[in-house]
Amino acid sequence: MKPISQGRRVSRHSDTLPVDEFLGNANEHLSEIGRITVIVPASEFSQWEKHARIMGFTVGRVCFVSPDDEKPVHRVMAEFGKALERTEESLKIRNSSQEYSQTFIALLRDFYLPSIVTGK
């Protein structure tokens, strides 16, 4: 479901900036050692990989994100550049007790209020 606010909708969805256009602009502005990172729905990641290859990018770090151990991957965080080596990892947002996983907490500690991170 898309957010009601137009600003949030534009910033979180690719309706106004298609993948090929985004990567084309990145290709024009990045140096040979430049990198871009994106967070995309898992269902769209193969499209991003395909367009990235066409533009001359390689995939570097890839992180497959799932809500917990029971649910499938729903987001992919990916890094694209000109000559990157691919590495893959996964991130579970919640553990089996449905608390934020330690990996998730460590990754986002600086972005959340202490009560969210610690549960207190």
Side-chain angles (χ1 to χ4, degrees):
M1 185 159 114
K2 293 186 180 180
I4 294 172
S5 158
Q6 181 181 1
R8 288 191 104 169
R9 197 170 45 249
V10 168
S11 69
R12 293 183 176 188
H13 297 277
S14 60
D15 299 352
T16 57
L17 185 58
V19 174
D20 56 343
E21 190 175 330
F22 177 89
L23 290 170
N25 285 325
N27 195 29
E28 289 177 24
H29 295 93
L30 281 179
S31 70
E32 287 301 311
I33 60 170
R35 299 169 187 216
I36 58 170
T37 55
V38 297
I39 301 172
V40 298
S43 61
E44 295 179 15
F45 184 58
S46 62
Q47 179 184 6
W48 278 82
E49 283 186 294
K50 175 184 153 195
H51 286 288
R53 273 193 305 277
I54 291 168
M55 297 288 173
F57 289 113
T58 57
V59 181
R61 293 176 56 193
V62 179
C63 182
F64 299 98
V65 181
S66 58
D68 58 36
D69 288 330
E70 303 297 318
K71 295 186 177 97
V73 170
H74 71 297
R75 296 281 184 272
V76 177
M77 298 186 290
E79 171 186 61
F80 297 98
K82 296 293 182 170
L84 302 177
E85 296 238 356
R86 185 178 181 129
T87 61
E88 294 185 3
E89 56 192 286
S90 62
L91 171 66
K92 308 282 187 210
I93 294 173
R94 296 187 180 273
N95 61 27
S96 59
S97 303
Q98 292 304 303
E99 298 167 335
Y100 287 124
S101 70
Q102 289 304 310
T103 307
F104 180 79
I105 290 170
L107 179 65
L108 297 175
R109 180 177 309 278
D110 295 338
F111 298 96
Y112 283 102
L113 296 172
S115 61
I116 293 174
V117 173
T118 62
K120 296 178 184 174

